């Protein structure tokens, strides 16, 4: 079911969404990030890509999974903590970030479903915004089977037609959301249908970065564990966590107990994002570190995204958002790395 | 403790002067508020900035570092290094917006029981109106 | 004016004469407008070197990698490496020398003077082109640069988008070097700590609000620490586990690793991390601005260090990175150090 | 392996129990993680108390204990020994000070109890992570060094030497004897100072165990208790004492006259001189400050007349190194500098003298062979004004402290003056008369009664020359009257100051000083002759103004302390010293810079602690950015936990 929403009606629409928490890109200082918005007028969807993908809304960086304390006789008492979020709407989600969630679904799904993830995932309605203009010069979604107007993982997709949005509801969830505010929407005219189709078809052409024959990379990687390439590519790496923490598909976490007091015993068991780029990620208590240097950590990042994940889930663990390229302090460019892998003799 | 708000002060006292000074206050039965819990260290020079930040993180409402007067350090010059280090910590704490009143340094000799008593009294007096220190306190 | 060809010539010479293992310099990047580091072993590849206002990074950081590499190697190659250093970068080399982390013979310094200019602040450029996606920036027409966005190319003077640190620079040309390219005249700086005024003028509660919002953004990617040439500890106060593990380290000792700061990016822990970092950089930070530059959520981290730099200067007349043979700020004192804050 | 901790809370009668609910503390501590035993008792330090601890350790096989009681300065060792007796390491015992720092300073029992709990918990958290340590043993060089050859130094040297230990006695001036040798007679007995001192001087110089080093100064001291290395600067005398026959021909021909230190400038001496007839060692010294030149062309008269050819212009200063195990500092005093006393005309008017100058006038060996005559005109003074507390007890203008001996020597001066000039009148201006000491009060009494010396309670406002008289204006605060005296001579009882150069010496030896520059003792009551640096002791006026018997007593005390070190084959040193975690150390050397004891050095790019030199102050650990160095048993880990417990978090 396709609809048209006047841009001026965006705020009124949101006001109709009672009972939903709304997350949308807002500007803080000179960067854009998703935040909980209470006033629709704060929202401006004409934004370059957000620094952080909306992943923390569904997979927060820091999450308590249980609380513990000592009883009178000193025996520990534990209480499981399961999130009970309000229903929420993520507005203006980039298609690449939405696709990332479909990859999370594979990771946190399967035989054992991660309760913390799914509690939020199920409560969320994802309203995407097609990238009529690439939000980043390093966008390369088509390379990794995505598209600037991909609908994967979304419930609704908006396409910017100057003064209005072309609104496609893609799921039942999405449809219901539109129905709640029927009056604000009207059916698209033939012209609007054509315009939307044209913009979409052009959008892909505007993306100027890509990896040729990416398909050749995964099999190649299988044999490249000991390649010298990693040392060369990692020379400039600073071993920070930007590429992974800001990646919409990275999902590694670490579980630790944090005491608020040691006597009487009181604390929380917490899971925090972790990253393969930190030396302590693989540090053994023996003192041995199987990934002792940044080369082995860069290798892990690439192999995980373009080899292991492909083997396990038949997909690249990358949606081509380009964040790791644009935000890398030393300009390590995953596109170049993949090119070199492909051409590696 | 029910009733009115009682600030908690962590006091790092050097063993030879300030701790001895507070012992003297005891021997002379001087009275001061029980809000301060002393931690005796060997020298004010051994008080790491991390101790101070950590005390605030653990929920101290005020932190005091006290050592020997310049020239009297049992370890000759430890307190001179302390003086410089603490000055930097103080600058930083104020810069991030912590109330300057919450962090104090003093010279208290083994003979200055009275001074120690007064310092604690005054410290409690300035802390009470400020209320609990929540800024750097770890979320429970 | 630094002549790029001279830089290439010098770099090529030391490679050909086998004076150094490799040269670390700057090169154009496919990732964005700012220069990326490049590691050149082959004299014939020297053409990749560039020098312009996009060369922001402090390459001294790579001296740390080289030291680690040597540490791991069975038969370490003890030849020095060459790095291209700006004034600020050279001061960080001085601090590394002062702290005996490296020896002077470990490094060949290709000094380049920023003269009366400096390097750009990408965020300032972004602000100029509000909301637009910057496709390309050309730096090779100093003192101007050309910015291309979807609606065309615009020229603007580099001076207008210089990094704050360059506006407050204390050493616009290297203070230690083996080769120096460019002019050696001291650039006049009226307000070396001007950028602090805004925050200093706030009332304490405002300052708290300011930092609470800023540090609240921190995602603990540790890019600040990773980019900092002074952050060379093998084990950082925020690391979750002990790296200092030897064959004889007992389980108890391992367990005793103090959690000064928890991994959770909560307010108290973020403050803990950034304050400890600032304290540990007191008298060591030479204001290369990398921590702030690399921060993905643009926390004005430089101010924290700048504040203590100011304190060191004003209270103790100490200037980091100028006198590698003198003791460090916190391992020295003067009888007349101020103590008016002490009762 | 989880440690088992025992907690013992002391009532100290009602000293603690009066304001702290000790049972409650004990009960709550029993619930504290890691605490396997907790009890309270009325006097933990008593034998039954200690036995309770020992039994508990054995029965509950505790790994460590915390005793919540009085200050560790009092009973730390008591309970460490108890721990030892129970078979655990003595360093597995910690004190929680809940008396001086809690029960005695608070009244609110509820709050005091909470605080006591926190203090005790934090001690538990500390002891949990204590290492078992053994004291560090240090070899001892069994020789002593005494700095200063006054009565105190001589006494200390003799006592040590007579016990059989070799002693190096260093004296700055050409002869030992100090100020005492300048004195005429000593109060209260009036026996002749020189007569009682010279035998000791001779004994010291002849003593087989004493190495006398006159005209020498200690230049540098390194090392530590039991093992000091001393650099001594021996100044050239240009006279070979063995050849010199004391014929005195040289002084006759020497053309240079200089003020005579021995007579405090009342007389002159030649550039080549013997300080005084009974000088020890008995030899001449050529003072190059005055000598026209050490080359025959310049002068060379003394060498010409010296038959035994004892004079050697080529003699040079030497640096002599000595190794000793203990040091006694007896650098004595100087009088407060006259320039500070311009208002009393000292130095301006020839007949205004200080105490020591007057001693010389009274002395049979003095410039006037013991007659009291005015320096200006050699007339006998008929009216003499003695002024006490000149520079002393005057915090605004001069020294805040009391110089202690002035009351007595002024009384002595006045009395002796009267004995010389029977028809003369002596006045004494005083603030109080302080005559504590055996037969002191009686002595002062004699002065006033038998010798009718006139004591005026009050200060002198002005002194000025008026013709051949010296006008003294003052007030008698008892009568409230203004007093005006036409005096022939005025004697000022100047304050005592630490002798010149003592400060520098103290600094170089890492010995601290009080605000007046006197050497600071380790404890004002219980360790009066020890410095804070172990192995270094004090004797005489270097530590505070003293009279002769006190100086001698303290000297013997210091000697005994020194002997207690020299008599051991090895010493034991606290093992609470800095320890380096090599994996973390990057060798930046900041710890080396801050260490007050030069105990840390860099070896192969890592810090290395000399455990014998380390005093465990921990400044290194606070300075280290990498937490690579910490003091055993007060490590950052321990403080981290202690903070937690103190806040009751």
């Amino acid at each position: 079911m396709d609809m048209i929403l006047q841009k001026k009606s965006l705020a009124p629409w949101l006001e109709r969404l009672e009972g939903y928490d709304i997350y949308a890109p807002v500007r803080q200082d000179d960067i854009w990030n998703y935040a909980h918005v209470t006033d629709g007028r704060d929202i401006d969807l004409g934004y370059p890509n957000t620094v952080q993908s909306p992943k923390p809304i569904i997979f927060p960086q820091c999450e308590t999974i249980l609380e513990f304390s000592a009883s009178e006789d000193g025996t520990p008492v534990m209480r499981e903590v399961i999130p009970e979020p309000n229903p929420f709407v993520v507005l203006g989600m980039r298609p690449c970030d939405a696709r990332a969630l479909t990859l999370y679904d594979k990771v946190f799904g399967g035989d054992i479903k991660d309760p913390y993830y799914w509690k939020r995932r199920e409560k969320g309605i994802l309203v995407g915004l097609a990238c009529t203009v690439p939000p980043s010069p390093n966008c390369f979604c088509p390379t990794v089977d995505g598209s600037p107007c991909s609908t994967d993982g979304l419930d609704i997709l908006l396409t910017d037609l100057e003064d209005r949005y072309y609104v496609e509801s893609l799921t039942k969830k999405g449809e219901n959301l539109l129905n709640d505010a029927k009056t604000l929407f009207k059916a698209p005219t033939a012209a609007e249908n054509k315009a939307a189709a044209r913009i979409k078809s052009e959008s892909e052409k505007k993306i100027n970065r890509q990896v040729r024959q990416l398909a050749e990379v995964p099999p190649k990687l299988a044999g490249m564990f000991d390649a010298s390439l990693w040392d060369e590519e990692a020379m400039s790496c600073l071993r920070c966590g930007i590429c992974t923490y800001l990646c919409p598909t990275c999902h590694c976490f670490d579980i630790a107990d944090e005491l608020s007091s040691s006597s009487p015993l009181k604390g929380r068991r917490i899971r925090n994002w972790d990253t393969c780029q930190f030396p302590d990620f693989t540090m053994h208590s023996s003192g041995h570190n199987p990934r002792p240097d940044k080369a082995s950590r860069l290798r892990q990042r690439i192999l995980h995204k373009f080899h292991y994940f492909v083997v396990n889930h038949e997909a690249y663990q990358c949606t081509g958002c380009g964040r790791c390229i644009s935000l890398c302090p030393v300009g390590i460019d995953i596109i170049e790395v993949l090119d070199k892998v492909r051409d590696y003799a | 403790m029910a009733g009115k708000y009682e600030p908690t002060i962590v006091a790092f006292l050097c063993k030879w002067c300030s701790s001895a000074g507070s012992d003297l206050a005891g021997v002379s039965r001087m009275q001061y508020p029980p809000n301060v819990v002393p931690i005796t260290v060997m020298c004010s020079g051994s008080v790491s900035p991390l101790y101070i930040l950590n005390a605030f993180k653990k929920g101290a409402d005020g932190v005091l570092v006290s050592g020997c007067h310049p020239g009297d350090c049992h370890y000759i010059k430890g307190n001179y290094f302390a003086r410089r280090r603490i000055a930097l910590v103080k600058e930083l704490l104020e810069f991030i917006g912590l109330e300057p009143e919450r962090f104090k340094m003093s010279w208290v000799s083994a003979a200055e029981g009275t001074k120690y008593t007064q310092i604690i009294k005054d410290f409690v007096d300035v802390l009470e109106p400020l209320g609990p220190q929540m800024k750097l306190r770890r979320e429970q | 004016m630094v002549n790029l060809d001279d830089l290439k010539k010098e770099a090529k010479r030391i490679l050909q004469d086998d004076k150094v293992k490799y040269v670390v310099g700057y090169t154009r990047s496919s990732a964005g407008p700012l220069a990326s580091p490049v590691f050149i072993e082959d004299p014939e590849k020297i053409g990749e070197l560039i020098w312009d206002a996009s060369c922001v990074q402090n390459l001294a950081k790579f001296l740390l990698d080289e030291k680690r590499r040597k540490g791991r190697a069975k038969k370490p190659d003890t030849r020095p490496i060459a790095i291209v250093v700006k004034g600020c970068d050279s001061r960080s080399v001085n601090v590394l020398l002062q702290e005996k982390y490296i020896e002077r013979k470990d490094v060949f310094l290709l000094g380049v003077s920023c003269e009366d200019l400096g390097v750009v602040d990408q965020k300032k450029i972004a602000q100029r082109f509000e909301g637009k996606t910057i496709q390309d920036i050309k730096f090779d027409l100093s003192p101007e640069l050309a910015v291309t966005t979807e609606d065309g190319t615009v020229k603007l003077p580099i001076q207008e988008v210089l990094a704050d640190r360059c506006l407050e620079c204390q050493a616009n040309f290297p203070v230690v070097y083996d080769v120096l390219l460019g002019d050696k005249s001291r650039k006049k700086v009226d307000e070396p700590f001007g950028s602090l005024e805004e925050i200093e003028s706030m009332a304490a509660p405002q300052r708290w609000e300011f930092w609470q919002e800023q540090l609240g953004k921190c995602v603990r990617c540790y890019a600040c620490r990773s980019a900092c040439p002074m952050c060379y500890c093998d084990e950082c106060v925020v690391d979750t586990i002990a790296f200092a593990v030897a064959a004889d380290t007992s389980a108890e000792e391992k367990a005793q690793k103090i959690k000064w700061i928890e991994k959770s990016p909560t307010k108290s822990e973020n403050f803990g991390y950034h304050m400890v970092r600032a304290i540990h950089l007191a008298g060591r930070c030479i204001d290369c601005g990398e921590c702030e530059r690399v921060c993905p959520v643009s926390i004005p981290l430089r101010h924290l260090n700048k504040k203590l730099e100011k304190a060191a200067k004003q209270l103790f007349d100490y200037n980091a990175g100028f006198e590698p043979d003198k003791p460090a700020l916190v391992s020295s004192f003067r009888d007349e150090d101020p103590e008016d804050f002490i009762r | 392996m989880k440690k088992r901790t025992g907690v013992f809370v002391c009532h100290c009668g009602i000293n603690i129990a009066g304001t702290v609910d000790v049972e409650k503390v004990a009960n709550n501590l029993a619930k504290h993680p890691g605490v396997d035993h907790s009890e309270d008792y009325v006097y933990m330090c008593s034998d039954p108390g200690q036995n309770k601890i020992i039994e508990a350790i054995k029965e509950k096989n505790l790994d460590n204990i915390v005793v919540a009681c009085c200050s560790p300065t009092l009973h730390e060792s008591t309970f460490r020994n108890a721990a030892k007796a129970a078979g655990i390491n003595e360093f597995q015992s910690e004190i929680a000070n809940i008396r001086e720092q809690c029960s005695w300073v608070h009244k609110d029992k509820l709050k005091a109890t909470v605080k006591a709990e926190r203090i005790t918990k934090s001690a538990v958290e500390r002891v949990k992570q204590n290492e078992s340590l053994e004291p560090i043993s240090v070899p001892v060089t069994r020789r002593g060094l005494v700095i200063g050859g006054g009565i105190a130094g001589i006494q200390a040297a003799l006592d040590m030497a007579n016990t059989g230990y070799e002693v190096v006695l260093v004296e700055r001036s050409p002869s030992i004897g100090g100020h005492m040798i300048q004195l005429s007679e000593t109060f209260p007995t009036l026996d002749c100072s020189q007569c009682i001192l010279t035998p000791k001087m001779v004994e010291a110089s002849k003593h087989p165990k004493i190495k006398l080093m006159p005209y020498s100064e200690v230049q540098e001291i390194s090392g530590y208790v039991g093992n000091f290395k001393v650099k001594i600067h021996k100044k050239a005398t240009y006279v070979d004492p063995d050849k010199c026959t004391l014929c005195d021909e040289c002084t006759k021909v020497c053309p240079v006259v200089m003020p005579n230190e021995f007579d405090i400038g009342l007389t002159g001496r030649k550039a080549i001189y013997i300080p005084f007839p009974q000088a020890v060692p008995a030899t001449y010294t050529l003072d190059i400050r005055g000598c026209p030149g050490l080359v025959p062309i310049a002068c060379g008269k003394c060498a010409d007349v010296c038959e035994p050819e004892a004079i050697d212009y080529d003699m040079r200063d030497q640096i002599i190194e000595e190794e000793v195990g203990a040091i006694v500092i007896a650098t004595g005093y100087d009088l407060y500098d006259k320039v500070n006393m311009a208002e009393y005309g000292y130095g301006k008017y020839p007949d205004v003298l200080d105490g020591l100058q007057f001693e010389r006038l009274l002395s049979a060996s003095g410039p006037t062979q013991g007659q009291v005559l005015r320096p200006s005109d050699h007339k006998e003074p008929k009216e003499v004004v003695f002024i006490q507390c000149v520079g002393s007890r005057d915090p605004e203008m001069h020294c805040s402290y009391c110089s202690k001996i002035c009351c007595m020597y002024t009384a002595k001066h006045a009395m002796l003056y009267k004995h010389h000039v029977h028809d003369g009148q002596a006045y004494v201006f005083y603030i109080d008369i302080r005559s504590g000491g055996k037969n002191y009060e009686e002595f002062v009494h004699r002065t006033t009664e038998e010798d009718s010396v006139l004591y005026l309670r009050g200060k002198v406002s002005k002194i000025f020359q008026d013709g051949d008289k010296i006008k003294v204006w003052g007030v008698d605060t008892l009568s409230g009257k203004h007093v005006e005296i036409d005096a022939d001579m005025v004697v000022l009882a100047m304050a005592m100051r630490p002798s010149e150069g003592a400060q520098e010496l103290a600094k170089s030896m890492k010995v601290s000083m009080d605000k007046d520059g006197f050497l600071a003792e380790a404890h004002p009551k219980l360790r009066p002759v020890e410095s804070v640096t172990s192995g270094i002791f004090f004797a005489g006026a270097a530590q505070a103004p003293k009279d002769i018997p006190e100086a001698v007593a303290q000297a013997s005390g210091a000697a005994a302390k020194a002997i207690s070190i020299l008599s051991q084959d090895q010493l034991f040193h606290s093992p609470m010293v800095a320890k380096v975690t090599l994996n973390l150390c990057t060798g930046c050397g900041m710890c080396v810079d801050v260490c007050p004891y030069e105990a840390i050095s860099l070896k192969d790019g890592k810090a290395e602690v000399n455990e014998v030199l380390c005093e465990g102050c921990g400044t290194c650990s606070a300075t280290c950015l990498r937490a690579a160095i910490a003091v055993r048993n007060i490590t950052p880990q321990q403080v981290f936990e202690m903070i937690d417990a103190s806040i009751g978090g």
Side-chain angles (χ1 to χ4, degrees), chain D residues 76-96:
Chain D
E76 186 171 67
S77 54
T78 312
F79 295 115
R80 290 206 161 150
N81 293 331
K84 216 170 176 178
I88 63 173
N89 181 277
E90 59 188 292
F91 291 92
Q92 295 298 352
S93 158
E94 288 293 343
I95 299 284

Side-chain angles (χ1 to χ4, degrees), chain A residues 58-201:
Chain A
I58 291 160
F59 173 44
Q61 180 168 7
C62 173
E63 178 155 44
T64 304
I65 56 183
L66 64 82
E67 291 170 345
F68 55 85
S69 57
S71 65
E72 261 301 302
D73 62 359
T75 54
V77 184
M78 291 183 232
R79 189 176 69 76
E80 189 179 31
V81 182
I82 297 286
E84 286 304 339
N86 292 336
F88 61 91
V89 172
V90 182
L91 187 72
M93 206 169 178
R94 296 292 182 182
C96 51
D97 293 341
R99 288 191 66 228
L101 289 179
T102 65
L103 302 175
Y104 276 179
D105 294 349
K106 299 173 188 281
V107 176
F108 293 111
D111 308 338
I112 305 148
K113 299 214 173 324
D114 180 288
Y116 308 94
Y117 174 79
W118 288 103
K119 276 282 181 187
R120 295 195 174 81
R121 182 75 167 98
E122 285 154 359
K123 289 281 178 67
I125 302 179
L126 310 181
V127 180
L129 176 68
C131 303
T132 51
V133 177
S136 148
N138 289 312
C139 287
F140 64 104
C141 51
T143 299
V144 287
D145 309 338
S147 132
C149 32
S150 154
T151 55
D152 301 3
L154 290 168
D155 300 294
I156 294 173
L157 178 66
L158 307 179
T159 308
D160 190 320
L161 302 179
E162 313 287 291
D163 61 341
R164 69 200 69 185
Y165 292 111
Y166 191 86
V167 186
E168 299 163 69
S169 68
L170 309 157
T171 63
K172 195 90 202 73
K173 266 184 180 175
E175 209 158 310
N176 299 340
L177 198 70
L178 299 187
N179 291 336
D180 294 349
K182 261 197 162 55
T183 56
L184 294 171
F185 299 87
K186 66 174 184 55
T189 63
E192 286 165 335
N193 283 330
K194 260 177 84 226
R198 195 189 74 255
I199 287 170
K200 286 187 180 181
S201 60

Side-chain angles (χ1 to χ4, degrees), chain B residues 6 19 22-23 32 36 85, chain D residues 71 97 101 106 111 115 623:
Chain B
E6 293 284 349
S19 190
S22 80
D23 278 359
Y32 56 84
V36 59
R85 196 175 293 125
Chain D
S71 167
N97 179 350
Q101 296 184 347
H106 307 314
K111 292 175 182 173
K115 178 175 170 180
T623 308

Side-chain angles (χ1 to χ4, degrees), chain D residues 427-609:
Chain D
Y427 306 87
V428 176
F429 280 93
Y430 72 102
I431 304 178
D432 309 288
I433 302 298
R434 299 185 167 177
S435 54
K438 196 171 181 180
N439 300 327
Y440 286 13
E441 180 58 23
E442 297 86 328
F443 183 80
V444 176
H445 197 73
R446 245 170 73 202
T447 322
T448 50
E449 300 306 308
E450 295 170 28
D451 299 305
S452 58
V453 171
L454 188 54
Y455 270 74
L456 300 162
R457 190 175 198 286
K459 280 207 144 191
V460 169
S461 57
K462 192 164 187 222
I463 295 179
F464 59 97
Q465 191 86 39
D466 177 24
D468 70 339
K469 291 287 185 187
I470 304 169
K471 275 217 183 299
V472 179
W473 288 356
V475 266
D476 177 352
T477 53
L478 297 180
S479 65
K481 280 205 218 70
H482 175 79
V483 187
E484 187 173 330
I485 301 168
D486 289 330
D488 301 306
M489 182 184 278
V490 174
V491 180
L492 307 177
M494 303 293 280
M496 283 167 100
R497 303 277 303 135
S499 67
E500 185 209 341
Q503 254 107 332
E504 294 64 33
L505 181 69
K507 278 206 178 69
S508 73
M509 299 172 81
K510 306 190 179 75
V511 168
S512 51
M513 291 159 286
D514 63 24
K515 65 180 196 333
D516 304 309
F518 290 103
L519 302 172
E521 58 276 18
H523 186 286
K525 307 270 175 301
L526 303 177
R527 299 172 65 192
V529 304
E530 298 165 67
S531 78
V532 289
T533 309
S534 49
I536 301 183
F537 308 99
F538 309 141
Q543 179 246 345
K546 282 188 188 59
D547 60 21
I548 294 164
E550 276 186 281
V552 171
Q554 195 188 17
S556 295
K561 281 288 177 187
I563 291 163
S564 71
I565 288 175
L566 301 183
S567 58
Q568 301 173 58
D569 313 330
Q570 52 180 205
L571 295 169
F572 292 95
H573 174 290
S574 162
M576 281 181 59
V577 294
K579 174 191 179 191
V580 178
T581 308
L582 289 176
N583 322 45
L584 290 180
C585 178
T586 61
C588 71
M590 289 192 195
C591 53
V592 179
D593 297 338
V594 298
C595 179
Y597 303 95
E598 284 119 40
I600 312 177
S601 55
L602 289 179
K603 185 155 166 283
D604 320 331
K606 302 273 182 188
E608 186 178 63
V609 177

